[in-house]
Short mmCIF file of all heavy atoms in Angstrom, two decimals:
data_model
loop_
_atom_site.label_atom_id
_atom_site.label_comp_id
_atom_site.label_asym_id
_atom_site.label_seq_id
_atom_site.Cartn_x
_atom_site.Cartn_y
_atom_site.Cartn_z
N ARG A 43 6.55 -6.25 30.03
CA ARG A 43 7.82 -6.72 29.47
C ARG A 43 7.82 -6.42 27.97
O ARG A 43 6.86 -6.65 27.27
CB ARG A 43 7.99 -8.23 29.69
CG ARG A 43 8.27 -8.58 31.14
CD ARG A 43 8.53 -10.07 31.31
NE ARG A 43 8.82 -10.42 32.67
CZ ARG A 43 10.04 -10.39 33.21
NH1 ARG A 43 11.07 -10.00 32.46
NH2 ARG A 43 10.24 -10.73 34.45
N VAL A 44 8.94 -5.88 27.50
CA VAL A 44 9.04 -5.49 26.11
C VAL A 44 10.14 -6.30 25.44
O VAL A 44 11.24 -6.46 25.99
CB VAL A 44 9.37 -3.97 26.00
CG1 VAL A 44 9.52 -3.57 24.53
CG2 VAL A 44 8.30 -3.15 26.67
N LEU A 45 9.83 -6.82 24.28
CA LEU A 45 10.80 -7.61 23.51
C LEU A 45 11.30 -6.76 22.34
O LEU A 45 10.51 -6.31 21.50
CB LEU A 45 10.17 -8.90 22.97
CG LEU A 45 11.06 -9.80 22.13
CD1 LEU A 45 12.23 -10.31 22.95
CD2 LEU A 45 10.27 -10.97 21.55
N LEU A 46 12.59 -6.50 22.31
CA LEU A 46 13.22 -5.72 21.25
C LEU A 46 14.08 -6.66 20.41
O LEU A 46 14.91 -7.40 20.96
CB LEU A 46 14.10 -4.61 21.84
CG LEU A 46 13.45 -3.68 22.84
CD1 LEU A 46 14.47 -2.70 23.41
CD2 LEU A 46 12.27 -2.94 22.24
N ALA A 47 13.90 -6.64 19.12
CA ALA A 47 14.67 -7.51 18.21
C ALA A 47 15.55 -6.66 17.31
O ALA A 47 15.09 -5.67 16.75
CB ALA A 47 13.74 -8.38 17.38
N TRP A 60 22.52 3.22 24.47
CA TRP A 60 21.55 2.94 25.52
C TRP A 60 21.79 1.60 26.18
O TRP A 60 21.73 1.45 27.41
CB TRP A 60 20.17 3.00 24.91
CG TRP A 60 19.03 2.61 25.83
CD1 TRP A 60 18.48 3.37 26.81
CD2 TRP A 60 18.31 1.37 25.82
NE1 TRP A 60 17.46 2.67 27.42
CE2 TRP A 60 17.33 1.45 26.83
CE3 TRP A 60 18.39 0.22 25.05
CZ2 TRP A 60 16.45 0.42 27.10
CZ3 TRP A 60 17.53 -0.81 25.34
CH2 TRP A 60 16.57 -0.72 26.34
N SER A 61 22.09 0.58 25.35
CA SER A 61 22.29 -0.77 25.90
C SER A 61 23.55 -0.88 26.74
O SER A 61 23.65 -1.76 27.59
CB SER A 61 22.31 -1.79 24.74
OG SER A 61 23.45 -1.59 23.94
N ASN A 67 18.96 1.41 31.91
CA ASN A 67 18.01 0.37 31.48
C ASN A 67 18.29 -0.95 32.20
O ASN A 67 19.34 -1.14 32.81
CB ASN A 67 18.12 0.14 29.96
CG ASN A 67 19.50 -0.35 29.56
OD1 ASN A 67 19.79 -1.52 29.61
ND2 ASN A 67 20.37 0.58 29.17
N ARG A 68 17.34 -1.81 32.09
CA ARG A 68 17.51 -3.19 32.58
C ARG A 68 17.15 -4.13 31.44
O ARG A 68 15.97 -4.37 31.15
CB ARG A 68 16.60 -3.45 33.79
CG ARG A 68 17.00 -2.66 35.04
CD ARG A 68 16.09 -2.95 36.19
NE ARG A 68 14.72 -2.50 35.88
CZ ARG A 68 13.67 -2.78 36.64
NH1 ARG A 68 13.82 -3.52 37.75
NH2 ARG A 68 12.49 -2.35 36.32
N VAL A 69 18.17 -4.62 30.77
CA VAL A 69 17.97 -5.44 29.58
C VAL A 69 18.58 -6.81 29.78
O VAL A 69 19.72 -6.92 30.22
CB VAL A 69 18.60 -4.77 28.34
CG1 VAL A 69 18.44 -5.66 27.12
CG2 VAL A 69 17.98 -3.41 28.09
N ASP A 70 17.83 -7.83 29.46
CA ASP A 70 18.35 -9.18 29.41
C ASP A 70 18.60 -9.54 27.95
O ASP A 70 17.64 -9.58 27.16
CB ASP A 70 17.37 -10.19 30.04
CG ASP A 70 17.21 -9.95 31.54
OD1 ASP A 70 18.21 -9.59 32.19
OD2 ASP A 70 16.08 -10.11 32.04
N GLY A 71 19.83 -9.77 27.60
CA GLY A 71 20.16 -10.08 26.19
C GLY A 71 19.96 -11.56 25.90
O GLY A 71 20.34 -12.44 26.69
N ILE A 72 19.34 -11.85 24.80
CA ILE A 72 19.15 -13.23 24.34
C ILE A 72 19.69 -13.32 22.92
O ILE A 72 19.13 -12.73 22.01
CB ILE A 72 17.67 -13.63 24.35
CG1 ILE A 72 17.06 -13.44 25.75
CG2 ILE A 72 17.50 -15.06 23.87
CD1 ILE A 72 15.56 -13.67 25.80
N ALA A 73 20.78 -14.04 22.75
CA ALA A 73 21.36 -14.20 21.41
C ALA A 73 20.71 -15.41 20.74
O ALA A 73 20.75 -16.53 21.26
CB ALA A 73 22.88 -14.42 21.52
#
Side-chain angles (χ1 to χ4, degrees):
R43 289 184 178 272
V44 179
L45 179 63
L46 307 176
W60 174 77
S61 65
N67 62 84
R68 292 180 296 172
V69 177
D70 294 323
I72 303 173

